[in-house]
Amino acid sequence: MPTDCLAAHLAQRLPDATHLALGFEPHGGISPGTAATAVGQLGDGGAVRRDGRLLSVPPAHRQRRIDFGTGTRTAVTFPWGDVATAFRSTGIPNVEVYIPMPSAARRALRASGHLAPLFDAAPVRDTLRSLITRFVDGPDADERATGRAHIWGEVSSDATGETAVSRLVTPETYAFTVDAATTAAERTLDGDTPPGYQTPATAFGADFVTDLDGVTRTDDGDA
């Protein structure tokens, strides 16, 4: 939801944008469920949107330096849901999503593309999931209370050469998800959403994310 609303905000800032890049840097750790989902996707490769079409690409096929608001990090492409939804929310035909990773993790992710048959084997996935259950605890109460997530977005226009960058800071990912989901449900039950398939931004608007507790948004050039 925060990345989708940020994408819609950027599209408003640069209406003739042809390229959209999004990225997020969560803090506070991940839950066993999220880790297990990631394991289930190992070997599936990556995805981007080019000229309006979803394309499969190798894992971490591109990398760039991004300032998420906490300093510049090296990030790689990742097949996050915005590759699909941001096109619906903005009409921008080229979309990529990035997450920061240390060099060892980047190498491992790229190598996973060559090991896809291994990760597809049920015994391998079952073993990885059992290790997650044993060793991954997820964020504790203090981490959920104090953690923050940093979201970055950039749009550019081939026609004008203009670019625009905006950022969000939200509460810790899991705490934020509870607030976002319950608020969205309340507004839907109140009849404040259009019918049919919607993305977060088309349902509630680009500013929906800034109505939630503890969220700040800044645009490049803000003091």
Side-chain angles (χ1 to χ4, degrees):
M1 192 277 286
T3 46
D4 191 63
C5 287
L6 188 63
H9 172 69
L10 283 162
Q12 292 172 355
R13 293 188 60 201
L14 191 63
D16 62 350
T18 55
H19 291 74
L20 168 67
L22 297 166
F24 59 96
E25 183 181 28
H27 293 277
I30 64 172
S31 73
T34 299
T37 298
V39 165
Q41 295 173 341
L42 285 174
D44 290 343
V48 299
R49 188 176 289 274
R50 290 180 184 158
D51 298 324
R53 298 178 57 197
L54 286 173
L55 296 180
S56 296
V57 295
H61 85 295
R62 290 190 63 188
Q63 72 177 41
R64 61 180 292 179
R65 299 283 288 173
I66 295 174
D67 181 2
F68 291 88
T70 59
T72 304
R73 303 278 307 278
T74 299
V76 295
T77 48
F78 191 76
W80 204 243
D82 298 271
V83 173
T85 57
F87 176 67
R88 306 298 176 184
S89 302
T90 67
I92 298 174
N94 300 285
V95 183
E96 295 179 336
V97 181
Y98 291 83
I99 59 171
M101 283 189 178
S103 58
R106 296 196 301 271
R107 290 194 296 270
L109 190 58
R110 293 190 183 101
S112 71
H114 303 291
L115 300 174
L118 176 64
F119 290 124
D120 283 337
V124 173
R125 293 196 181 194
D126 289 345
T127 298
L128 291 173
R129 289 189 176 112
S130 68
L131 291 173
I132 288 168
T133 300
R134 181 177 179 183
F135 294 110
V136 178
D137 294 327
D140 59 26
D142 288 339
E143 289 170 329
R144 291 194 300 273
T146 61
R148 292 291 181 269
H150 297 263
I151 296 97
W152 163 93
E154 177 190 79
V155 284
S156 59
S157 168
D158 282 341
T160 65
E162 293 180 280
T163 63
V165 173
S166 296
R167 296 177 179 86
L168 289 171
V169 180
T170 76
E172 185 273 334
T173 304
Y174 295 101
F176 173 82
T177 297
V178 173
D179 187 20
T182 55
T183 303
E186 289 168 355
R187 293 195 182 184
T188 301
L189 291 171
D190 288 340
D192 294 338
T193 58
Y197 170 84
Q198 305 293 330
T199 69
T202 61
F204 306 110
D207 295 334
F208 174 63
V209 66
T210 59
D211 293 337
L212 300 176
D213 291 338
V215 176
T216 59
R217 185 177 67 200
T218 57
D219 298 329
D220 53 348
D222 286 351

